[in-house]
Amino acid sequence: MIRRACVIGHPVAHSRSPLVHGYWLAQHGIDGSYGLEDVAPEAIDGFLNTLSDRGYVGANVTVPHKEAAFRAAAELDKDAAALGAVNTLWYEAGRLHGANTDVYGFLANLDAGEPEWQRALGEAVVLGAGGAARGIIHGLLGRGVDRIAVANRTFERAEALRAQFGPKVVPVQWRDMPGWLNSTRLLINTTSLGMKGQPPLDIDLSLVSPDAVVTDAVYVPLETPLLRAAKARGIATIDGLGMLLHQAVPGFERWFGVRPKVTPELRALVVADLAAKGQLV
Ligand code: ATR
């Protein structure tokens, strides 16, 4: 019988996950499918509780349903339990399991892009304090990063992250963020600034050490103004597309029984799709 999975979101039409999983299904000759499910917030709990009745062996869950997926799962992995958010669902012995593979995806993308990123890393600077920032902070703390400065327009949200994660998280007023740039070796944008249709993230990269790594959770466009400016200064950059590709790996393995690889060919396929839609820059 064909094994079916999907990504559930609202909206979800823009998702590149079907492209990624479709590539792996074809590559491994697996009799499976991966589709899109646009589910409105008022319908999400009912949908998740009947996932297997709908013929699915599991699903990815994206904005705004990751908290609903957390509630729906009977079993949680450590990252999902810590974050209260689930992006990957599957069944084991009839019970719905939930994981948060965004954390793994973020770290695997850094490891692949700059294998030495943790060396000489005293503190990291995270811009933004939403759901993406929470996952990333959790992942960095799990890798033993000593101090994470979190700068956010709404300071209270940065303070809430300190309350959640403890004193290694230092909340920073947005206007004070430039003062933290020269001591960091890792700068991460998790805000929506720089996304297509949003204002650019306007920061002075002359303050950032040439040894630093700059990464952006945004991947539409693929080369955000932040990454372009960093490259122009010779600073190492890692784009957000790799996080999307790597977070998909554990789900595919659960649903289809093969651990797939993030290959240059897969990346090129998604980059070509971004290019076709004018989303490279
Ligand atoms: P996600 O779950 O993807 O992280 P989010 O919770 O909506 O999304 O968070 C978006 C982030 O972008 C927030 O940190 C937000 O700052 P606020 O907490 O002050 O809203 C940040 N952001 C969005 N627009 C911004 C802007 N114009 N200037 C600065 N930060 C902005």
Side-chain angles (χ1 to χ4, degrees):
M1 209 181 65
I2 180 166
R3 297 176 71 77
R4 297 173 61 227
C6 64
V7 54
I8 303 164
H10 186 69
V12 79
H14 63 281
S15 171
R16 262 63 187 216
S17 291
L19 194 60
V20 173
H21 290 282
Y23 167 85
W24 284 329
L25 286 168
Q27 183 188 31
H28 295 284
I30 291 169
D31 189 15
S33 74
Y34 187 100
L36 293 171
E37 289 280 6
D38 191 324
V39 181
E42 56 275 17
I44 189 64
D45 292 329
F47 189 96
L48 293 173
N49 290 331
T50 54
L51 198 58
S52 89
D53 303 337
R54 292 166 193 275
Y56 288 118
V57 297
N60 281 131
V61 183
T62 187
V63 178
H65 295 322
K66 293 182 186 183
E67 288 79 18
F70 169 79
R71 290 194 300 272
E75 303 285 342
L76 296 165
D77 81 343
K78 277 216 310 256
D79 292 334
L83 292 167
V86 159
N87 78 330
T88 303
L89 292 167
W90 71 97
Y91 290 94
E92 275 179 46
R95 284 170 74 76
L96 191 61
H97 286 237
N100 189 310
T101 72
D102 290 329
V103 177
Y104 164 80
F106 170 74
L107 294 171
N109 188 34
L110 285 190
D111 292 342
E114 286 290 331
E116 303 284 307
W117 69 270
Q118 263 186 278
R119 224 177 51 188
L121 177 67
E123 94 205 353
V125 173
V126 172
L127 309 178
R134 283 172 59 222
I136 285 168
I137 290 165
H138 173 71
L140 292 174
L141 292 173
R143 286 289 186 94
V145 172
D146 286 338
R147 198 153 75 136
I148 306 173
V150 179
N152 198 50
R153 176 180 61 179
T154 309
F155 183 63
E156 293 71 29
R157 294 184 85 191
E159 288 183 307
L161 293 178
R162 183 197 182 87
Q164 179 177 2
F165 291 110
K168 289 183 178 173
V169 170
V170 182
V172 173
Q173 298 276 2
W174 190 253
R175 63 174 175 275
D176 296 334
M177 177 254 292
W180 290 78
L181 294 177
N182 70 357
S183 54
T184 190
R185 293 288 176 88
L186 181 63
L187 173 65
I188 303 156
N189 176 47
T190 76
T191 74
S192 45
L193 295 173
M195 211 178 263
K196 264 248 183 297
Q198 300 288 324
L201 174 60
D202 191 16
I203 64 176
D204 181 0
L205 286 170
S206 70
L207 300 171
V208 174
S209 157
D211 301 336
V213 176
V214 174
T215 183
D216 207 323
V218 172
Y219 68 91
V220 176
L222 186 59
E223 186 180 71
T224 60
L226 172 69
L227 295 178
R228 186 157 57 249
K231 276 183 204 165
R233 295 194 158 268
I235 298 170
T237 62
I238 302 177
D239 64 48
L241 177 56
M243 180 171 170
L244 171 80
L245 302 178
H246 286 281
Q247 65 77 31
V249 168
F252 188 93
E253 184 179 24
R254 294 282 186 194
W255 310 318
F256 303 117
V258 177
R259 190 164 182 92
K261 288 209 160 56
V262 174
T263 59
E265 192 190 13
L266 170 61
R267 189 180 152 87
L269 182 75
V270 183
V271 169
D273 188 62
L274 292 167
K277 296 186 170 85
Q279 295 174 338
L280 287 188
V281 287

